[in-house]
Amino acid sequence: MVASGNGAPALPAGIRILARGGSALDAVEACAKFIEADPTDTSVGRGGRPNVLGVVELDASIMDGTTHRTGAVAALAGYLHPISVARAVMERTPHVFLVGNGAARFAREIGANRAQNLTASTRKLWVERLGKAGETPASVRRRAKLLGVVRKTVKEERGTVNFLALDRRGDVASAVSTSGWAYKYPGRVGDSPIIGAGNFCDSRYGAAACTGYGELAIRGVTAKTAVDRLASGMPVDVTAQAAIADANALEDAAFNIVVLSADGAHAAATNREGRRYVWMTAAMKEPATALRALVPRERRGSPSSRASARAGSLR
Ligand code: ASP
């Protein structure tokens, strides 16, 4: 299994499932649930940071790389495990993606665990951020127009958890769960629940999932592009770095990817210093951590940015 750095505490639970012959799909779901239930991770599930109105809106997706069955939810409020609701969308509906009120209605219908995902500490962070924008919970809720406030409340505070798994049968699966961009406009959906953008896998080639500025992964169809690159024979490290070069060619914003190939090779890349990722196999007692390859953004038009563009970016 491979995960974003914040997924480390969950990996032993996922590996236990794989070691006893369980499926990659069960492993990635179990791991995502672990982090969703952890209130100390302020980027996922319970304890995730809310939108500008103080509502924790969760996005999640899960994919089976063998059948390409997938399920996703976005802007889901009031439930503990968006990843399990996403899996139920995949397994129990004729659809792949439910959002907002419809996703919550479906979660209620299947008896999903309800939760108050705004914790005392994330409420405090939200009130502080509103204060810096000259607002209070009461004032912001009264507003007819939110855009001006959101321009002040959103900074580079995002976060997500990615899990990629390869099981004994050679099936690959991937799961992504997030509370998205902190203090976002209500209804903002990032890349995490969008198959092909923040999450994609194909058991023939491998899997990829993103964290960071989700709008970039949507615009670049990043996870699918990465798996296409694996399919074309590109090694995992070059694939991960090409994804960051693509993002860098568009905007200067934090962006990260993890990649796992169908033969178990893995790599991760970022455009910010010091970012890590983790992995674990059934032969390991605990997860290993490594620095992601750094692909810094070059100034537009510099010789090296043109070289990296030739090596794998959009242009
Ligand atoms: N990609 C997530 C989003 O845009 C946030 C993150 O990973 O930092 O919602």
Side-chain angles (χ1 to χ4, degrees):
M1 293 193 75
V2 177
S4 50
N6 56 342
L11 284 184
I15 289 296
R16 272 197 298 278
I17 291 172
L18 297 180
R20 59 169 191 256
S23 70
L25 199 64
D26 285 346
V28 293
E29 182 192 3
C31 286
K33 286 176 75 174
F34 191 104
I35 304 299
E36 287 173 348
D38 176 358
T40 65
D41 190 316
T42 56
S43 66
V44 181
R46 184 149 188 282
R49 277 172 295 206
N51 70 14
V52 68
L53 295 178
V55 179
V56 183
E57 290 185 330
L58 302 174
D59 300 341
S61 64
I62 190 161
M63 185 164 191
D64 175 337
T66 301
T67 61
H68 278 210
R69 287 193 314 156
T70 179
V73 290
L76 173 64
Y79 288 87
L80 184 60
H81 289 306
I83 198 69
S84 299
V85 182
R87 185 165 177 180
V89 170
M90 170 172 100
E91 292 179 338
R92 298 171 67 174
T93 78
H95 309 308
V96 296
F97 199 174
L98 293 177
V99 305
N101 291 340
R105 183 185 177 121
F106 173 67
R108 187 169 62 242
E109 186 165 332
I110 62 169
N113 286 342
R114 287 198 56 87
Q116 169 50 274
N117 289 322
L118 189 69
T119 60
S121 65
T122 46
R123 186 174 195 286
K124 186 161 174 274
L125 293 173
W126 168 60
V127 173
E128 278 168 14
R129 179 56 55 83
L130 288 182
K132 289 195 182 124
E135 298 285 336
T136 64
S139 74
V140 81
R141 285 184 183 127
R142 274 198 307 271
R143 277 187 172 274
K145 296 189 175 180
L146 284 175
L147 195 53
V149 184
V150 168
R151 286 214 174 93
K152 293 184 212 155
T153 54
V154 293
K155 310 255 189 277
E156 231 187 44
E157 281 154 316
R158 308 181 200 90
T160 298
V161 74
N162 299 152
F163 291 103
L164 313 176
L166 170 61
D167 66 25
R168 277 196 199 152
R169 285 173 294 278
D171 292 326
V172 172
S174 50
V176 178
S177 187
T178 188
S179 50
W181 196 344
Y183 320 121
K184 61 197 170 187
Y185 199 99
R188 178 268 182 185
V189 173
D191 58 320
S192 305
I194 298 182
I195 291 302
N199 183 6
F200 195 77
C201 64
D202 183 316
S203 297
R204 294 171 296 178
Y205 313 118
C210 305
T211 52
Y213 184 25
E215 281 74 359
L216 276 184
I218 296 171
R219 288 159 60 191
V221 201
T222 304
K224 172 66 162 76
T225 303
V227 174
D228 284 348
R229 284 175 169 141
L230 295 177
S232 76
M234 194 180 271
V236 280
D237 54 345
V238 184
T239 296
Q241 290 167 42
I244 304 303
D246 286 350
N248 287 345
L250 300 178
E251 303 240 0
D252 182 12
F255 198 72
N256 322 285
I257 190 166
V258 289
V259 179
L260 169 68
S261 70
D263 60 6
H266 54 85
T270 179
N271 55 13
R272 293 289 187 270
E273 300 267 350
R275 299 282 163 96
R276 292 167 195 279
Y277 81 111
V278 290
W279 76 90
M280 188 171 174
T281 69
M284 292 160 65
K285 288 210 161 48
E286 53 190 43
T289 303
L291 269 182
R292 293 170 185 255
L294 180 64
V295 185
R297 187 171 198 252
E298 310 283 345
R299 270 189 304 115
R300 237 161 211 262
S302 70
S304 54
S305 82
R306 282 195 297 273
S308 67
R310 276 196 301 277
S313 89
L314 293 171
R315 275 171 287 165

